Amino acid sequence: MSNALARVVVLLVLALQCASARADLLFRTLERFDGQQRWSTVKSYSNPLDMPYARYSSRGAALPAEEVRVFVSGSITREDKLGAEVMADMIATGRQKLSGNSVWFASNGGDIDAAMDIGRLLRRMGVFAVIDKNDQCMSACVFAFMGGERRSVAGRLGIHRPFFPHTRDIPDRQVQFRHLQKVLKDYVEEMDFPSSLYEAVMLVPPETLKILAAAELKSLFLDGISPSSEDLADAAAARHLNLSMAEYLKRKASAPACTALAAASGGCEFRMQGAVPVGR
C-alpha cells in the first residue's frame, strides 16, 4: 500500500464511534474578580472570539501570560487537533501559561487518528495528562491521554479494539485492518509504552469496553511515567541539584512517591533536596 493511500485509509477508518457530543479543547483563564482570583467561564480554542492574539495594558506594555486550565471533553474529532495546535502556539509564544503544566481529560472517544496527533503534540510540549476522579477517558481518548509525559488516573480509563465504521465488503478490507494494527502498534512504541498495552487493546472486542484496574494502569505505564521519560526527568533533576545520577537515585529511593500532579508543581524535586540517601 502506498504512503498516500495508507494516509487516506487512516483518516477514513480510524474512528471509534461513540454517542457523545463532539469534543472541544476547552480552557478557563485565571482572572481577578472583585479583588479575588477565580477561573473564568469556559472558552474554546476553536472560537476566535475567545482567542485574543495580543494582550497589552493601557500603557501599551505586553501583559504577563494568562494562566489557563485546559481540558478535553466529548468526542474527539479532527477539529480538536487544530485546537490543540492553537493551544500549543499560545503557550509557546508566551500568551498563555498552562496551569500545573497539565491537560485534563473527560472524553468517551472519537477519531483515533486525531487522538494520536493530539498525543504527539502533548508529548512534544512535555505536559502532564490527568483524569480526575469524577471523569473518564475511554476508547480513542486513551491515545490522546498517552501523550502526557506523566499521567495520573484518578477516574476511569477504558480500552477496546478499534473498528471500521463502514460495513462495505471490499477486497482489501483485511489488508486495511492489518495496516490499522501496525499504526496502533507503532504509536504505542513511539510513545514508549510496552507492547503489552497494544496487546491489551487488541484483546478487547470492539462491542465491549474494559476498564483497567489500578494495577493494570501501573503495569502498562498509563498511570505514571514511561521509562525513557523518567530517565530524562531524573537526569535533568540530578543536574539541577548538582548530584551524580547514582546519588540522585539513592535520594529518590528514600523520598515519598511522586504523583504526576506533584511533579507538575515541582514538588518532586523539592522532596529530593531533603531526602536522605539510602544506607546513610
Side-chain angles (χ1 to χ4, degrees), residues 32-126:
R32 182 172 293 275
F33 295 91
D34 297 328
Q36 296 183 338
Q37 285 189 325
R38 65 185 185 187
W39 293 108
S40 71
T41 56
V42 174
K43 303 178 183 180
S44 170
Y45 283 105
S46 64
N47 183 0
L49 296 179
D50 289 337
M51 302 304 302
Y53 286 99
R55 300 179 65 246
Y56 295 94
S57 68
S58 58
R59 297 181 179 180
L63 296 173
E66 289 184 315
E67 184 171 353
V68 296
R69 180 173 179 177
V70 175
F71 49 100
V72 179
S73 64
S75 180
I76 296 171
T77 70
R78 298 302 304 170
E79 286 79 7
D80 300 311
K81 183 209 171 190
L82 300 178
E85 290 172 346
V86 172
M87 174 197 70
D89 179 68
M90 295 290 287
I91 293 170
T93 55
R95 286 170 284 184
Q96 289 186 341
K97 175 184 177 182
L98 196 57
S99 180
N101 195 35
S102 301
V103 174
W104 301 73
F105 286 82
S107 168
N108 287 331
D111 182 333
I112 196 172
D113 193 42
M116 289 190 291
D117 283 343
I118 292 171
R120 291 186 177 99
L121 184 148
L122 296 180
R123 183 61 62 89
R124 289 195 297 271
M125 294 176 65

Side-chain angles (χ1 to χ4, degrees), residues 11 18 50 56 72 126 138 141 149 216 222 232 237 240 261-262:
L11 290 176
C18 63
D50 289 337
Y56 295 94
V72 179
M138 305 294 181
C141 171
E149 185 175 281
E216 292 173 307
L222 287 167
L232 285 174
H240 183 72
L261 292 181

Side-chain angles (χ1 to χ4, degrees), residues 9 15 56 103 110 144 247 257 269:
V9 169
Y56 295 94
V103 174
E247 182 68 16
E269 187 172 298

Side-chain angles (χ1 to χ4, degrees), residues 114-190:
M116 289 190 291
D117 283 343
I118 292 171
R120 291 186 177 99
L121 184 148
L122 296 180
R123 183 61 62 89
R124 289 195 297 271
M125 294 176 65
V127 305
F128 300 162
V130 182
I131 304 171
D132 205 358
K133 63 180 180 179
N134 295 321
D135 293 327
Q136 62 184 27
C137 179
M138 305 294 181
S139 191
C141 171
V142 175
F143 290 88
F145 177 79
M146 286 166 60
E149 185 175 281
R150 291 180 187 262
R151 298 160 294 277
S152 176
V153 183
R156 302 199 310 160
L157 183 147
I159 59 174
H160 68 79
R161 185 169 69 240
F163 60 91
F164 294 144
H166 65 79
T167 61
R168 295 190 300 275
D169 184 16
I170 53 179
D172 61 345
R173 186 179 180 104
Q174 283 188 316
V175 173
Q176 290 183 1
F177 194 85
R178 285 195 291 271
H179 176 72
L180 164 59
Q181 290 177 294
K182 184 179 185 303
V183 168
L184 297 182
K185 192 171 186 178
D186 289 348
Y187 180 76
V188 168
E189 182 178 355
E190 176 189 348

